[in-house]
Amino acid sequence: MSWQAYVDDHLMCEIDDMQLTAAAILGLDGSVWAQSATFPQLKPEEITAIMTDFEEPGSLAPTGLYLGGIKYMVIQGEPGSVIRGKKGAGGVTIKKTNLALIIGIYEEPMTGGQCSMIVERLGDYLYDQGF
C-alpha cells in the first residue's frame, strides 16, 4: 500500500459522516511521505519544534504548536508519543512512530477524541509494523 493510500483510506475516511479537515504522514526529518490536498505547507522550524517536544515533552506548551503558520494551544498528550493541540472549534493530533509523524487536523463537528482515535490507531499500527 502506498503512503498516499494510508492518508486517503485511513486518515481522510468518513466516520459517522465526519472526516478530518487535513492529514499527512511525514518522515521524522519533515519530508512529506503523503498528504491530503488540504494539508498546510509546514515550515522547517515548525517540524523542528515538534521533534523537540517529542524529545523534551512540554517544550511547546509556552509558545504553542504551529502548523503552516497557524497556532494551536498545546493540550494533554502522551509525552514522547502524542501531541494534541486545540484552536477554536478544531485542533490537531500528532502521533510519532519509529520513522514518521502522523498528523490529523479537524474542525467541528468532529471532536478531539475522534481525531485522536483516527490518528493514533494508524500510528499504533505503523509502529507495530516497524514504521
Side-chain angles (χ1 to χ4, degrees):
M1 183 181 291
S2 74
W3 291 114
Q4 191 62 49
Y6 280 108
V7 170
D8 297 340
D9 300 342
H10 298 282
L11 294 174
M12 296 301 293
C13 61
E14 281 197 19
I15 295 178
D16 297 331
D17 295 326
M18 293 180 282
Q19 73 180 75
L20 295 173
T21 307
I25 300 174
L26 308 177
L28 296 181
D29 61 356
S31 61
V32 176
W33 292 4
Q35 65 183 16
S36 65
T38 54
F39 195 77
Q41 178 67 43
L42 301 185
K43 300 173 182 156
E45 60 269 21
E46 294 171 341
I47 298 295
T48 300
I50 291 167
M51 293 307 298
T52 298
D53 194 79
F54 280 122
E55 294 164 15
E56 302 167 22
S59 67
L60 281 176
T63 59
L65 163 67
Y66 286 85
L67 293 175
I70 297 171
K71 182 179 181 178
Y72 295 84
M73 179 179 65
V74 177
I75 56 176
Q76 91 288 349
E78 297 170 27
S81 175
V82 178
I83 299 170
R84 295 185 187 98
K86 184 87 173 117
K87 180 185 183 321
V92 62
T93 297
I94 304 172
K95 169 75 175 178
K96 181 179 180 278
T97 69
N98 297 309
L99 303 174
L101 298 175
I102 316 301
I103 304 174
I105 299 172
Y106 71 95
E107 293 289 337
E108 285 186 344
M110 182 172 273
T111 67
Q114 290 167 317
C115 174
S116 292
M117 182 185 71
I118 293 166
V119 171
E120 293 177 46
R121 185 184 310 157
L122 179 59
D124 290 342
Y125 170 77
L126 292 175
Y127 183 88
D128 290 344
Q129 299 302 308
F131 291 104

